[in-house]
Amino acid sequence: MHFTIDTNKFVTSVQHANRAVTSRTTIPILTGIKISATTEGITLIGSDSDISIETYIPYSDEEREYMTVHEEGEMVLQAKYFSEIVRKMPGETLTLKKDGQMAATIESDSVIFNLNGYDPENYPRLPQLEEDHVIQLPQHLLKDIIRQTVFAVSTQETRPVLTGVHFEIKDGKLTATATDSHRLAMRTIGVEAEETLEINNVIIPGKSLVELSRILDDAENMITIVVTSTQVLFKMENLLFFSRLLDGKFPLTSNMIPSEGKTSMTVSTKALIRSLERAMLLSREAKNNVIHLRSNGPKEIEISSVSAEVGKVKESLSTSDFDGEELQIAFNGKNISDALKVIDSENISILFTGAMSPFVVRPIDHEQMIHLFSPVRTY
Amino acid sequence: MHFTIDTNKFVTSVQHANRAVTSRTTIPILTGIKISATTEGITLIGSDSDISIETYIPYSDEEREYMTVHEEGEMVLQAKYFSEIVRKMPGETLTLKKDGQMAATIESDSVIFNLNGYDPENYPRLPQLEEDHVIQLPQHLLKDIIRQTVFAVSTQETRPVLTGVHFEIKDGKLTATATDSHRLAMRTIGVEAEETLEINNVIIPGKSLVELSRILDDAENMITIVVTSTQVLFKMENLLFFSRLLDGKFPLTSNMIPSEGKTSMTVSTKALIRSLERAMLLSREAKNNVIHLRSNGPKEIEISSVSAEVGKVKESLSTSDFDGEELQIAFNGKNISDALKVIDSENISILFTGAMSPFVVRPIDHEQMIHLFSPVRTY
């Protein structure tokens, strides 16, 4: 293998592939990035066996040519060093040349690196997915869906399925759901797919989605999603992102959402976030973020919290569209505040079903998002 | 105590005083900020017993009035909560009122905090310093001096004096020196002080200078420095910064600097930094940043490093004004690169006195800065 390539173009592609690589792997070759050069272009692969990212640099595009491939071939080089080395190369182009079976020379201007690697024969193959179940979405929308659900996944491995986001497609609608059993975030959108397409119990690890989200841009570009029983593949221009799916059955969440309640009201999203942040100053450490909410007639609620050692805080917040009984409830303020931060609506409605039952938060502007929370017992 | 004050003005002042407070103190009351209100203004004090910061908000300035003091008095409130609470207050003003001997009510708009505190009688008094030894400097210059020396202090407590920066004044010149015994950074400037003023063996803890530097601005405003045998005081407008001095005798460094050598050359500061950064990619972990430098005729040096597991790198760098013998030397690349980053001169001169003796790096543009380094044995 021997090629000369535009440094910037190469660096971007290496950084993307490097996102999948972790030094904590138990399989030594996965600390490497696989580089394959053909006269048509260069492919880079990084993987931690849960996530794999393949990036491709075509020989040329409409603008210009990016490389000269003197000799085809493949190599695996240690990702940690390789990605930093190419990033710090001084010249506009760099040359990478195989130098013995498992070593490479990387040159740019007067700089020459000799870097040891691994035998590319031993690098695991990427899965070949059957493209039976395929949907398409604009990238920015997928990014929104991830942002608006992934924060609610469980961080505890006791119930592994809850560390992922559940995707379901039915009647031309995609529903993404995440829950850690104390709170639930659900986002729905219409998707372009075959009418008859139904997908259920597809659970993508939260960690994979967070990495994917870092690669997605805010543009209208479409992304293609291919789903099989064990893998999901996100296809972008010159980039493939594979993730394994989580095994197991996601809890049935659709019947958890109460449709009727005892008390409902509308509150300013930002005002409630700020109020919770102040209240959490005192409840953060000792009290597991317990915040109290009390209705005070139809126009006002009181938010309060107490810390025996530090002190207490209370403040009133104006509400509108108040309907139903007076109410007193306690909850984990961090959970509510996390959810409010991903709601892009100026006001939210809250539906309470009693002091000891789950309550629902929705944006006022649209019906594509639901957040559900368990209250906290305080006695 | 009872006053109403402009929130922003109060927040800035509290944040400054809070810089001296640490939660790691063994003296509980020092986790608090002391607030004293008189009709003339409000004073805030934070301290970790090494550093103390006193900020003052005058009742008014040319622009406007900042407060209404209903009742004079003093309190100590827990810094960690207090500083965050005032920062998150919603209104343009906030009211602080003593509420029992050791508690306060802080109100802003509809928000009411009740916060527990400490008995202000128990808060330690700040030292009263004799103003016999006083110098004045523009703030930006003091900030430069700190930045250009403090990185070289020792981080090890085995020789405590080396964790500080040594200040000396003689013949109207201030010299600041820091060394960890492997490298030395020295910065000299002219100062405004009484002609006969001599100060020697004043060792200010590096940690104090780093904190001070965060408060200093880049302006021409003068800062007054008062030195006693155990304390130093930096006086700014409405802010006093006290630091204890380190006990002990700083090593005599002036005679360490070699004036003549075997090989000298001029190199581009930036080019050398970048070259060292590339070489350190390989020597960072295993090899304690060992970098090799070899002269290659009068126009070129070669920078290289090796890691048995990862690989090796070499590159050539052009030099000018080469004088003396051919040279081969090894050093800690991180130490050199730290120093080069604070040199504000496009080119540096290096004076080598032999492969096993210290070498000197100076900016080309002026003579106010010297860096000295020990080489590393590699065999």
Side-chain angles (χ1 to χ4, degrees):
Chain A
M1 187 174 74
H2 183 188
F3 61 83
T4 298
I5 190 164
D6 179 271
T7 305
N8 285 339
K9 195 85 180 170
F10 194 58
V11 166
T12 309
S13 218
V14 170
Q15 310 294 13
H16 277 150
N18 192 36
R19 288 209 164 276
V21 183
T22 158
S23 54
R24 290 187 301 276
T25 178
T26 51
I27 308 164
I29 199 168
L30 290 187
T31 61
I33 285 181
K34 185 178 175 191
I35 308 146
S36 314
T38 72
T39 48
E40 281 160 40
I42 286 167
T43 305
L44 299 153
I45 300 176
S47 175
D48 70 353
S49 79
D50 283 347
I51 301 171
S52 303
I53 299 174
E54 177 181 315
T55 58
Y56 182 66
I57 312 165
Y59 169 73
S60 66
D61 61 17
E62 308 84 61
E63 278 178 49
R64 49 186 275 247
E65 292 173 7
Y66 293 105
M67 65 190 75
T68 315
V69 177
H70 309 288
E71 195 187 335
E72 298 191 336
E74 50 186 38
M75 300 209 64
V76 177
L77 293 174
Q78 292 186 53
K80 191 173 111 191
Y81 298 98
F82 180 58
S83 64
E84 285 213 63
I85 285 169
V86 297
R87 200 161 58 83
K88 288 197 192 292
M89 278 306 206
E92 279 182 25
T93 65
L94 63 85
T95 298
L96 199 152
K97 190 174 179 223
K98 196 160 182 166
D99 192 16
Q101 174 60 10
M102 279 154 49
T105 307
I106 313 170
E107 283 195 56
S108 183
D109 285 357
S110 83
V111 182
I112 308 173
F113 273 92
N114 296 93
L115 198 59
N116 301 329
Y118 299 98
D119 187 342
E121 289 298 316
N122 297 334
Y123 197 86
R125 314 228 156 265
L126 290 188
Q128 297 293 319
L129 304 194
E130 296 282 335
E131 306 214 347
D132 292 341
H133 293 91
V134 173
I135 58 169
Q136 287 208 311
L137 279 183
Q139 289 200 30
H140 70 94
L141 204 51
L142 180 58
K143 203 169 175 170
D144 272 356
I145 294 169
I146 295 172
R147 182 175 62 89
Q148 291 168 340
T149 54
V150 79
F151 68 90
V153 302
S154 171
T155 52
Q156 285 165 355
E157 291 292 337
T158 44
R159 286 183 69 190
V161 288
L162 298 190
T163 63
V165 178
H166 178 260
F167 285 81
E168 182 186 41
I169 294 177
K170 209 178 162 183
D171 306 330
K173 269 190 186 167
L174 166 69
T175 304
T177 312
T179 178
D180 64 2
S181 81
H182 303 290
R183 54 158 163 201
L184 176 148
M186 186 185 282
R187 172 75 205 268
T188 309
I189 53 152
V191 286
E192 284 179 38
E194 282 180 55
E195 265 181 51
T196 57
L197 181 71
E198 285 205 14
I199 289 176
N200 195 2
N201 206 48
V202 169
I203 313 166
I204 307 177
K207 211 176 129 279
S208 302
L209 292 172
V210 169
E211 275 311 329
L212 173 64
S213 177
R214 292 193 176 125
I215 294 173
L216 293 173
D217 57 33
D218 296 315
E220 296 283 332
N221 304 348
M222 295 302 272
I223 185 166
T224 302
I225 309 177
V226 180
V227 179
T228 71
S229 58
T230 58
Q231 294 274 338
V232 59
L233 164 59
F234 298 90
K235 290 166 99 172
M236 287 157 268
E237 198 191 358
N238 296 326
L239 195 148
L240 303 179
F241 185 104
F242 295 83
S243 169
R244 75 177 173 99
L245 297 177
L246 290 172
D247 259 349
K249 186 94 191 98
F250 202 77
L252 188 65
T253 52
S254 52
N255 59 358
M256 284 185 194
I257 317 288
S259 52
E260 284 179 22
K262 292 187 179 161
T263 314
S264 64
M265 62 184 74
T266 298
V267 189
S268 151
T269 316
K270 271 195 190 153
L272 183 55
I273 291 177
R274 290 201 188 119
S275 172
L276 293 175
E277 279 175 352
R278 280 186 287 266
M280 282 191 283
L281 288 178
L282 300 189
S283 63
R284 209 163 36 190
E285 282 151 40
K287 293 286 211 157
N288 205 18
N289 296 316
V290 173
I291 307 292
H292 299 263
L293 182 153
R294 194 169 65 82
S295 65
N296 192 9
K299 296 281 181 204
E300 203 177 272
I301 52 173
E302 185 187 276
I303 303 284
S304 64
S305 76
V306 183
S307 152
E309 306 81 49
V310 186
K312 59 186 181 180
V313 53
K314 67 173 180 192
E315 66 182 273
S316 58
L317 215 63
S318 57
T319 58
S320 55
D321 303 329
F322 187 94
D323 187 36
E325 306 170 10
E326 291 281 351
L327 170 96
Q328 203 162 350
I329 196 167
F331 48 74
N332 179 321
K334 174 87 170 44
N335 284 355
I336 315 291
S337 142
D338 284 351
L340 295 177
K341 282 175 186 163
V342 303
I343 295 182
D344 39 17
S345 174
E346 209 173 303
N347 293 294
I348 51 150
S349 78
I350 318 184
L351 178 70
F352 294 97
T353 59
M356 283 303 137
S357 327
F359 58 96
V360 184
V361 170
R362 298 171 200 257
I364 288 286
D365 297 350
H366 59 85
E367 303 208 323
Q368 300 191 334
M369 197 192 278
I370 292 172
H371 296 276
L372 187 69
F373 305 94
S374 304
V376 175
R377 270 177 206 277
T378 54
Y379 54 87
Chain B
M1 188 174 73
H2 182 189
F3 60 84
T4 298
I5 190 165
D6 179 89
T7 305
N8 286 338
K9 196 85 181 170
F10 194 58
V11 168
T12 310
S13 218
V14 171
Q15 310 295 12
H16 277 149
N18 192 34
R19 286 208 166 277
V21 183
T22 160
S23 54
R24 290 187 302 276
T25 178
T26 51
I27 308 163
I29 199 167
L30 290 187
T31 61
I33 286 181
K34 185 178 175 190
I35 308 146
S36 314
T38 71
T39 48
E40 281 159 41
I42 287 168
T43 305
L44 298 152
I45 299 176
S47 174
D48 70 354
S49 78
D50 282 348
I51 301 171
S52 302
I53 299 174
E54 178 180 314
T55 59
Y56 182 66
I57 312 165
Y59 168 74
S60 66
D61 60 17
E62 309 83 61
E63 279 178 48
R64 47 186 275 247
E65 293 173 7
Y66 293 104
M67 66 190 74
T68 315
V69 177
H70 309 288
E71 195 187 335
E72 298 190 337
E74 49 186 37
M75 301 209 61
V76 176
L77 293 173
Q78 292 185 53
K80 192 174 109 192
Y81 298 99
F82 180 57
S83 65
E84 285 213 61
I85 286 169
V86 295
R87 200 161 56 84
K88 287 197 193 293
M89 279 305 207
E92 278 181 28
T93 65
L94 64 84
T95 298
L96 199 153
K97 189 174 179 220
K98 195 161 182 169
D99 191 16
Q101 174 60 8
M102 279 154 49
T105 307
I106 313 170
E107 282 194 57
S108 183
D109 285 356
S110 84
V111 182
I112 308 172
F113 274 91
N114 296 94
L115 198 60
N116 301 329
Y118 299 97
D119 186 342
E121 289 299 316
N122 297 333
Y123 199 86
R125 314 230 155 263
L126 290 187
Q128 297 293 319
L129 304 193
E130 297 282 334
E131 306 214 348
D132 292 342
H133 294 91
V134 174
I135 58 169
Q136 286 209 313
L137 279 183
Q139 288 201 30
H140 70 95
L141 205 51
L142 180 59
K143 202 169 175 169
D144 273 354
I145 294 169
I146 295 172
R147 181 176 63 89
Q148 291 167 342
T149 53
V150 79
F151 69 90
V153 302
S154 171
T155 53
Q156 285 164 357
E157 292 292 337
T158 44
R159 286 183 69 190
V161 287
L162 298 190
T163 63
V165 178
H166 177 260
F167 285 81
E168 183 185 42
I169 294 177
K170 209 177 162 183
D171 306 329
K173 269 190 186 169
L174 166 68
T175 303
T177 311
T179 178
D180 65 2
S181 80
H182 303 290
R183 53 155 164 206
L184 177 149
M186 186 185 282
R187 173 75 206 268
T188 309
I189 53 152
V191 286
E192 285 179 37
E194 281 180 56
E195 264 179 53
T196 56
L197 181 70
E198 284 205 16
I199 289 176
N200 196 1
N201 204 49
V202 169
I203 312 167
I204 307 177
K207 210 178 131 276
S208 302
L209 292 173
V210 169
E211 277 309 329
L212 173 64
S213 178
R214 293 194 176 122
I215 294 173
L216 292 173
D217 57 35
D218 296 315
E220 296 282 332
N221 306 347
M222 295 302 270
I223 184 165
T224 303
I225 310 176
V226 181
V227 180
T228 70
S229 58
T230 58
Q231 293 273 340
V232 59
L233 164 60
F234 298 90
K235 291 166 99 171
M236 286 158 268
E237 197 190 358
N238 296 329
L239 194 149
L240 303 178
F241 186 106
F242 295 83
S243 170
R244 75 176 173 100
L245 297 177
L246 290 172
D247 259 350
K249 186 94 189 99
F250 201 77
L252 189 65
T253 52
S254 53
N255 58 358
M256 285 186 195
I257 317 287
S259 52
E260 283 179 25
K262 291 187 179 162
T263 314
S264 64
M265 63 184 74
T266 298
V267 190
S268 151
T269 315
K270 271 195 190 153
L272 184 55
I273 291 178
R274 291 201 187 120
S275 174
L276 293 175
E277 280 176 351
R278 279 186 288 267
M280 280 192 283
L281 288 179
L282 301 189
S283 62
R284 208 163 36 190
E285 283 151 39
K287 293 287 212 155
N288 207 16
N289 297 317
V290 173
I291 307 291
H292 299 263
L293 182 152
R294 194 169 65 81
S295 64
N296 192 11
K299 295 282 182 202
E300 202 177 273
I301 51 171
E302 184 187 276
I303 304 284
S304 64
S305 76
V306 182
S307 152
E309 307 81 50
V310 186
K312 59 187 181 181
V313 54
K314 68 173 180 193
E315 67 181 274
S316 59
L317 215 65
S318 57
T319 58
S320 56
D321 304 329
F322 188 93
D323 187 35
E325 305 170 11
E326 291 281 351
L327 170 96
Q328 203 165 349
I329 197 168
F331 49 74
N332 179 322
K334 175 86 170 41
N335 283 356
I336 315 292
S337 144
D338 283 352
L340 294 177
K341 282 176 186 162
V342 304
I343 295 182
D344 39 17
S345 172
E346 210 173 302
N347 294 293
I348 52 149
S349 77
I350 318 183
L351 178 70
F352 294 97
T353 59
M356 283 303 138
S357 327
F359 58 97
V360 184
V361 170
R362 297 171 199 257
I364 288 285
D365 297 350
H366 59 86
E367 304 207 321
Q368 300 191 335
M369 198 192 279
I370 291 173
H371 296 277
L372 187 69
F373 305 94
S374 304
V376 175
R377 271 178 206 277
T378 55
Y379 52 87

